Amino acid sequence: MAQAKIHAKMNEATCSKFSRTLSMADRSGRLLETLDQLETRVEALREAASAMEQERECILEMIQSIQNSQEMRNICAGEREELNLTANRLMGRTLTVEISVGTIRNCQQEEALSKATSIIDEIVKKLMDDMDASRNQLKALYSACVTEAPPVPIDQKFQAIVISCALEDQKKIKQRLETLLRNIENAEKNIKIMDHQKLEDPKANGSQ
């Protein structure tokens, strides 16, 4: 009789332990599933924030482009002043939007980003002294960041540095170079337009 009770207790303990283990595994699975869903939402949040960050820069660039455009120069001073006030107001409101998406980096990636940033900064410093040379250097850097490189020399050293950067930093480096090259192109157009106007002024004065 006593032995029967002992066996019964042992069986009860075994069943209880087995049921508890299943319950813990089930609970763990549900928690893991919830964390997986949260991870998807976190990545979606980061992508949305990055897209907003790019949109902010795009808006600022468009406002500056309008302010420096030939169309702005061709209107009367009063209208130009009014449009500039509106543009400055829009720029001020855009600048109040602050978006920051941090990037997790290891020591090697930190060092690579610092080197890549320094190389670009050095070229930008010399931009006004020699725009043509700076543009060619920036094109070589940009070629190192794209899969299908344009027909220009690739800066192999810079390419190795960029590859060592975090993936998000690689995208930002590429975007910065794109913006710089686009700004140089716009600046050159404006310089040509202004120079053309200067050449035309003497003819206009001579005809009066």
Side-chain angles (χ1 to χ4, degrees):
M1 187 72 177
Q3 288 181 348
K5 287 184 178 180
I6 292 172
H7 284 301
K9 287 288 184 181
M10 290 177 62
N11 289 335
E12 184 180 341
T14 302
C15 291
S16 176
K17 182 179 180 182
F18 185 68
S19 299
R20 186 166 60 251
T21 303
L22 284 177
S23 178
M24 289 175 62
D26 186 52
R27 191 181 301 116
S28 177
R30 287 199 299 270
L31 291 172
L32 181 59
E33 183 180 355
T34 302
L35 289 173
D36 286 341
Q37 293 173 354
L38 287 172
E39 183 175 14
T40 301
R41 291 176 62 181
V42 167
E43 290 307 312
L45 174 64
R46 288 177 61 85
E47 289 177 5
S50 295
M52 290 177 64
E53 191 175 29
Q54 292 176 28
E55 176 66 6
R56 177 182 182 273
E57 296 305 313
C58 182
I59 290 173
L60 290 173
E61 187 178 340
M62 290 178 68
I63 293 172
Q64 292 174 336
S65 177
I66 290 172
Q67 288 181 309
N68 297 325
S69 67
Q70 177 63 21
E71 288 84 354
M72 187 69 85
R73 296 189 183 92
N74 287 339
I75 60 179
C76 68
E79 291 180 343
R80 183 165 57 249
E81 182 180 2
E82 184 177 347
L83 290 174
N84 271 321
L85 286 173
T86 301
N88 288 332
R89 177 177 60 82
L90 291 174
M91 182 172 290
R93 286 176 60 82
T94 305
L95 289 171
T96 62
V97 179
E98 297 182 359
I99 306 163
S100 178
V101 181
T103 301
I104 300 174
R105 310 178 184 92
N106 57 35
C107 294
Q108 182 184 4
Q109 291 170 336
E110 287 278 5
E111 184 179 357
L113 177 61
S114 177
K115 287 180 179 179
T117 302
S118 297
I119 291 172
I120 298 174
D121 288 345
E122 284 301 315
I123 296 175
V124 172
K125 288 178 184 178
K126 302 173 183 176
L127 188 57
M128 298 309 296
D129 296 330
D130 193 340
M131 189 173 291
D132 286 336
S134 298
R135 178 185 55 198
N136 291 334
Q137 286 179 299
L138 290 173
K139 282 185 176 181
L141 299 187
Y142 178 74
S143 297
C145 299
V146 295
T147 305
E148 296 181 3
V152 295
I154 298 176
D155 191 318
Q156 302 287 347
K157 180 181 177 182
F158 186 76
Q159 187 177 54
I161 293 173
V162 172
I163 290 174
S164 299
C165 292
L167 185 59
E168 291 178 358
D169 289 330
Q170 292 180 24
K171 294 177 181 178
K172 289 182 179 180
I173 290 169
K174 178 185 173 184
Q175 289 168 2
R176 183 186 179 191
L177 291 169
E178 286 176 342
T179 300
L180 285 169
L181 288 169
R182 190 161 55 247
N183 289 342
I184 291 173
E185 183 179 355
N186 292 334
E188 288 180 330
K189 288 180 180 177
N190 289 330
I191 290 172
K192 288 179 181 178
I193 290 170
M194 293 172 66
D195 188 53
H196 183 65
Q197 288 177 334
K198 288 181 180 179
L199 291 173
E200 286 185 340
D201 284 342
K203 295 179 182 179
N205 294 334
S207 60
Q208 291 179 350

